[in-house]
Amino acid sequence: MFRSFLGGIHPHDGKELAKAKPIEVMPAPKELVVPMSQHIGAPCTPCVKVGDLVKRGQLIGTSPAFMHADIHAPVSGKVIRIEERPHSGRISCSAVVIENDGEDSWADGLPLERDWTAMTNEEILNAIQSAGIVGMGGATFPAHIKLKPSKPVDILILNGAECEPYLTADYRLMLESPAQVVEGTQILARVLGVKRSVIGIEDNKPEAIDALKKAGAGTGIEVAALKTKYPQGAEKMLIKVLADREVPMGGLPMDVGAVVQNVGTVAAIADAVVRGVPLTERIMTVSGDAIAEPKNLRVRIGTKYSDAIAFCGGFKEEPDKLLAGGPMMGMAQFTDEVPVMKGSSGILALTRRLTEHGPEMNCIRCGRCVKACPMGLVPSMLSILSQRQDFAACRDSYGLMNCVECGCCTYICPAKRNIVQYIRNAKGFVRAEMAKAKAKEEPAKKEGAKA
């Protein structure tokens, strides 16, 4: 057994609802809504117009910005609208709306077959970039950028922990397509030039551990059984547990010689490199006690939540909350018309029985959130200072920006305080202030350069 990390919690995982359900391919719906912002970085601009006929895999959105990921048509059909539509991470976003023609015909030359071992590293990275691959565990960082670290790395860590309650999509992927995960891991190890590759999986998924050990036999890829504890799948936790290294405050995994990728991401990379296919679909879990038939689905990007839920039998009870993602880090939604995106790991619908937690009270200084925090912070003080709008103290005295927003503090709080939301508010304010300061510095730098 590997070492553990500081803090953490053991919430009821709810995985029994969908864990045993094999991945089903959901037919593409009649209308797909493809947001132009599905990644960390600059949003894309549509490169198609209303009335255009598109093929599956055709480029429909791109950007000149360095930090972006291209977006492709998930089906063949006609562009019927380009307009603002609801978005799971914000109120709305520009989206390309495609009317599915039902033919599902691919863009010219796709898919293809190629031997990745005969490709150069540059060709592999170009294939990943052209496919628009992002971190599919929810972070949505463009993969081609992450795979070109500016510092030397010696370990590749694959996140198969899937510690978020209710979500079982990664588990089913590892169980049903272990060879694809192994192949994607080999591709990344070659590109990064690392000698050690480790797939970390919580020990409550023994079948997935066995499947990957068998698929990876003889490749040198390690499969590590990790203690089941939330948030075991957080990037910094995995690095601590598997490499015994701590990412410094404000630092990145490459600062300690590591690159971390989700198993869903490496499977998509294998598809992009070997078959040349862009990221137009993903595996996700639709679950919760309000869903009639919880399932793991392979769905097209742009599928509306309402269509995915209908494919799972609809609601058997009125949901009190609809979440994009899991209950710990997921975002509550105001409509089921939001579309599935590249980073959509799950749709969760919960009834009032599970969401009711009573009124929020004042902090009683019990220290439970401090004990649970995996980053060694004092969440109670961060929430109190955020309420007082003393954001400078949050940043300077209590390590605000080190918070990974895992939600352990909120879950464990006996006063029912929404601690993580207070922290998010404070981080948002600090980021806005940093952006303003940077904007003011740019003209001054230009003037200095001219002088």
Side-chain angles (χ1 to χ4, degrees), residues 288-338:
D289 65 332
I291 298 291
E293 300 175 64
K295 294 180 178 182
N296 298 293
L297 303 178
R298 185 180 293 275
V299 299
R300 302 295 175 90
I301 305 299
T303 299
K304 289 182 284 190
Y305 281 24
S306 55
D307 290 327
I309 292 168
F311 187 74
C312 294
F315 296 123
K316 65 179 180 181
E317 294 184 56
E318 185 67 25
D320 181 59
K321 275 194 178 180
L322 182 66
L323 298 171
M328 299 302 296
M329 296 187 73
M331 298 284 286
Q333 303 298 302
F334 64 91
T335 175
D336 61 3
E337 291 300 292
V338 295

Side-chain angles (χ1 to χ4, degrees), residues 236-386:
K236 293 179 180 179
M237 274 62 271
L238 284 171
I239 293 171
K240 174 61 179 175
V241 170
L242 293 171
D244 196 22
R245 304 172 189 174
E246 292 189 15
V247 178
M249 182 182 298
L252 297 170
M254 67 178 174
D255 294 325
V256 293
V259 167
V260 183
Q261 289 283 16
N262 176 265
V263 290
T265 309
V266 298
I269 284 172
D271 254 351
V273 174
V274 176
R275 300 177 59 233
V277 295
L279 184 52
T280 61
E281 62 181 13
R282 68 155 295 140
I283 300 167
M284 69 184 308
T285 303
V286 181
S287 190
D289 65 332
I291 298 291
E293 300 175 64
K295 294 180 178 182
N296 298 293
L297 303 178
R298 185 180 293 275
V299 299
R300 302 295 175 90
I301 305 299
T303 299
K304 289 182 284 190
Y305 281 24
S306 55
D307 290 327
I309 292 168
F311 187 74
C312 294
F315 296 123
K316 65 179 180 181
E317 294 184 56
E318 185 67 25
D320 181 59
K321 275 194 178 180
L322 182 66
L323 298 171
M328 299 302 296
M329 296 187 73
M331 298 284 286
Q333 303 298 302
F334 64 91
T335 175
D336 61 3
E337 291 300 292
V338 295
V340 171
M341 301 193 296
K342 295 178 182 181
S344 300
S345 54
I347 299 170
L348 187 60
L350 302 176
T351 65
R352 189 70 172 171
R353 288 191 302 276
L354 297 182
T355 61
E356 177 60 51
H357 55 76
E360 180 175 308
M361 297 177 283
N362 291 330
C363 175
I364 60 174
R365 309 300 202 277
C366 66
R368 293 184 189 179
C369 62
V370 179
K371 185 177 180 181
C373 180
M375 297 305 296
L377 304 177
V378 186
S380 54
M381 282 305 301
L382 284 168
S383 71
I384 291 167
L385 290 169
S386 177

